[in-house]
Amino acid sequence: MPETPIVTISTIGQHEGQTVTLRGWLYNIRSSGKLLFPTFRDGTGTIQGIVPRAAVPEQVFETLKNLQLESSLTVTGQVRADSRAPSGYELDVHNIDVISPVSPDDPYPITLKEHGVDFLMEHRHLWLRSPRQSAILRVRATIMRAASEFFDTHGFIRTDPPILTPNACEGTSELFEMDYFDDDKAYLTQSGQLYIEATALALGKVYSFGPTFRAEKSKTRRHLTEFWMIEPEVAHLELSGLMDLAEAFLTHIVTRVLEHHRADLKVIGRDVEKLEAVLAPTANEISNQESVILSEGAAEVEEPAVASPNKFPRLSYDQAHAMLEKAYAEGKLENPHRYGDDFGSPDETYISSQFSKPVMVHRYPAAIKAFYMQPDPADPTKALCVDVLAPEGYGEIIGGSQRVDSYDLLKQRIEDHNLPLAAFQWYLDLRKYGSVPHSGFGMGIERAVAWICGLDHVRETIPFARTLNRIYP
RNA sequence: UCCUGAGUAGCUCAAUGGCAGAGCAUUCGGCUGUUAACCGAAGGGUUGUAGGUUCGAGUCCUACCUCAGGAGCCA
């Protein structure tokens, strides 16, 4: 190989006219008699090469002609702008050096044709190489970075809770159980919330970011058994401030993705206008219908405590219920929503479909929410909680609440929910020694990625999805 | 856990109860601008498993297995 600069495909345009070396894989190859059109990929993008038989040594032409897809190689050639190329550039190949050829007896299983879900998931380790999957993982990385960045730059301290826990955090979900040495059982965490309440009362503003596990036998496009969650928890913060926080947080993430991933979103096939609508100024944003909805029962609409640059619609549970009743009466929903029940998936889809921004639904009936949620002083049958529903029917991406800060009330709640008091003694201590109002939320990364990328299934949002029926590869 | 649907070539899919097929992939041949290239040829099958009905089952019946996505539950 001659001494040439080693470049990546994403920045190859800066080397127009130069002879460069790429290190990558053979993505596809077409031929037309004495012309070869190999397409190379290197993880940053793809570029088509052109190889006229007369222009290269016979051995280079023959080697490339017989090379199987996904063989690894280095390629040397001259970068040329070409209007026929999708990316604007082509490579006039001078030489190739095969690093590791794929055998024709056992060719690369994933072709450029269609494949079924089962086959692709069985070959997830290879599927990741396809342009769409790579693009999704790049966007995921930015979403995770932007999420951390938001808290890091707003005075939050990252404090990660344990992954092995002695008992159920909320006493509801199905947990993965394992032996913990001799006589004990341990469980994989389903939320770090209780632990970061402790670190919040130590450090003020904290967040955690890590994997969580749910053993529920859910089998839908929105569920994984192992997923990543980012959870802030803030001392002295009440519900309205929590909603401001969630609003600013999501706004920051969407802003970053649009800044850095226009090209990836195009590969994924995302309608970028839908994301831009999330950032649109509030005044122009809210449609007539939305105004009507928000003005009905205006007394209940939460006013942001801090002016937020980008306001999301806020609905109380009662307002959302009224919206669903109306929709059912008009035949837009198959089943009526029973007041007092949680919203089902079709309900959430309908509510979110009425807005182009994420919707914050707050003050659910306390009876259907977790024991640690603070009752609303204005109506103790309601909890000071909020669910953020992503647009376009992507469902709940954030769930949060103000926490019970009274020792006596929390103890009562633990007993009412038949939870083992001893296991929660440390949690009660937080209310015994200098309790303050505090709030937090959790966002599931995969649902956020699915929404932002416009995917129809969360299994594509994580490198190796863990679902009810699949733990391979 | 419940409901619904699907299992046929390496992959994606056809096949009135009557000879097991196509495209892609692989191999061989052709083509100097192809964009999931195209054209010609070849090889490639225990039709998810086990029973049953029938002269005859990929097709009908029963059970089971696997997968899918919807409910419930959740992020």
Side-chain angles (χ1 to χ4, degrees):
Chain A
M1 277 279 145
E3 287 294 316
T4 57
I6 293 172
V7 303
T8 57
I9 292 168
S10 61
T11 57
I12 207 161
Q14 299 165 14
H15 300 274
E16 187 183 343
Q18 295 175 26
T19 298
V20 300
T21 295
L22 290 176
R23 295 189 290 203
W25 293 261
L26 185 64
Y27 176 68
N28 191 18
I29 186 163
R30 293 173 286 270
S31 73
S32 179
K34 296 178 178 60
L35 271 182
L36 298 180
F37 297 99
T39 301
F40 306 106
R41 67 165 191 90
D42 72 347
T44 73
T46 61
I47 188 170
Q48 176 171 277
I50 177 164
V51 192
R53 178 165 218 150
V56 296
E58 183 68 14
Q59 177 260 333
V60 168
F61 190 89
E62 285 302 317
T63 301
L64 199 47
K65 190 176 138 192
N66 294 313
L67 204 58
Q68 296 291 310
L69 300 192
E70 287 299 321
S71 295
S72 53
L73 41 68
T74 59
V75 189
T76 302
Q78 190 172 14
V79 182
R80 178 171 43 75
D82 192 306
S83 59
R84 288 167 291 193
S87 68
Y89 296 95
E90 279 189 348
L91 193 70
D92 289 321
V93 175
H94 298 163
N95 201 356
I96 64 159
D97 187 11
V98 177
I99 298 169
S100 178
V102 171
S103 166
D105 299 332
D106 197 1
Y108 189 67
I110 299 179
T111 67
L112 275 61
K113 296 277 183 179
E114 284 176 27
H115 293 286
V117 168
D118 189 33
F119 178 81
L120 288 171
M121 287 306 288
E122 205 63 20
H123 294 83
R124 181 60 174 168
H125 50 298
L126 302 176
W127 188 23
L128 296 171
R129 301 182 183 195
S130 70
R132 176 185 161 86
Q133 297 306 311
S134 295
I136 292 167
L137 292 186
R138 279 191 291 270
V139 174
R140 173 190 172 92
T142 289
I143 288 170
M144 293 177 95
R145 187 171 60 247
S148 297
E149 175 186 72
F150 177 86
F151 293 126
D152 290 340
T153 56
H154 284 79
F156 287 70
I157 305 299
R158 176 167 172 168
T159 59
D160 288 322
I163 288 170
L164 296 178
T165 63
N167 58 274
C169 285
E170 302 176 17
T172 50
S173 293
E174 298 279 335
L175 302 184
F176 286 104
E177 185 183 279
M178 56 183 284
D179 291 330
Y180 196 71
F181 300 112
D182 294 339
D183 296 324
D184 279 346
K185 293 288 184 192
Y187 303 86
L188 295 179
T189 180
Q190 56 142 3
S191 165
Q193 183 209 310
L194 270 52
Y195 290 98
I196 60 172
E197 284 187 50
T199 61
L201 297 191
L203 295 155
K205 298 202 283 187
V206 301
Y207 74 101
S208 70
F209 198 177
T212 55
F213 307 87
R214 305 276 168 95
E216 281 147 5
K217 297 198 169 174
S218 300
K219 202 164 53 169
T220 80
R221 66 183 70 191
R222 300 179 305 280
H223 287 86
L224 297 170
T225 55
E226 176 183 324
F227 65 96
W228 285 66
M229 189 149 69
I230 188 161
E231 300 175 273
E233 189 74 29
V234 186
H236 307 292
L237 187 71
E238 301 191 356
L239 181 64
S240 65
L242 185 72
M243 291 197 273
D244 296 344
L245 185 70
E247 197 169 67
F249 172 67
L250 286 175
T251 299
H252 177 77
I253 290 172
V254 172
T255 302
R256 281 281 183 272
V257 169
L258 285 172
E259 264 172 21
H260 297 295
H261 294 284
R262 298 265 174 183
D264 284 327
L265 291 172
K266 192 175 177 189
V267 168
I268 296 164
R270 181 53 158 141
D271 179 356
V272 178
E273 283 183 17
K274 294 254 173 65
L275 287 181
E276 287 167 339
V278 172
L279 304 180
T282 306
N284 302 333
E285 160 61 20
I286 296 186
S287 67
N288 287 338
Q289 188 186 1
E290 291 173 14
S291 300
V292 169
I293 291 159
L294 292 175
S295 62
E296 284 171 6
E300 294 179 56
V301 176
E302 191 76 24
E303 281 303 317
V306 178
S308 181
N310 177 33
K311 294 181 185 175
F312 295 165
R314 298 179 183 194
L315 291 180
S316 68
Y317 173 89
D318 287 358
Q319 286 176 303
H321 169 74
M323 186 191 262
L324 293 171
E325 263 192 333
K326 190 163 168 245
Y328 178 69
E330 290 169 358
K332 293 173 185 167
L333 272 177
E334 204 170 315
N335 295 305
H337 175 252
R338 251 186 33 211
Y339 187 84
D341 283 359
D342 207 347
F343 301 124
S345 288
D347 300 328
E348 288 186 355
T349 299
Y350 179 79
I351 294 167
S352 72
S353 72
Q354 301 304 301
F355 303 93
S356 50
K357 295 187 177 195
V359 188
M360 303 205 250
V361 184
H362 55 85
R363 292 180 171 81
Y364 285 65
I368 56 168
K369 286 293 183 178
F371 73 94
Y372 52 70
M373 292 183 178
Q374 178 80 14
D376 185 355
D379 175 5
T381 67
K382 298 287 183 1
L384 292 177
C385 63
V386 59
D387 282 359
V388 181
L389 308 181
E392 301 164 69
Y394 279 95
E396 183 184 347
I397 52 169
I398 284 179
S401 69
Q402 187 171 329
R403 322 304 190 188
V404 171
D405 55 55
S406 149
Y407 182 95
D408 291 337
L409 179 57
L410 185 59
K411 183 163 179 254
Q412 185 64 49
R413 286 292 187 79
I414 291 169
E415 287 167 353
D416 290 349
H417 282 76
N418 293 317
L419 296 170
L421 205 53
F424 288 96
Q425 196 52 57
W426 69 268
Y427 187 61
L428 279 163
D429 274 357
L430 303 178
R431 278 72 181 172
K432 193 190 285 180
Y433 303 110
S435 188
V436 297
H438 59 287
S439 303
F441 65 74
M443 182 180 82
I445 293 295
E446 287 73 21
R447 284 192 185 172
V449 175
W451 159 50
I452 289 172
C453 289
L455 308 179
D456 67 4
H457 203 300
V458 290
R459 67 182 155 228
E460 289 183 66
T461 66
I462 186 168
F464 295 94
R466 292 290 171 255
T467 56
L468 183 56
N469 291 318
R470 191 177 299 281
I471 194 167
Y472 176 91

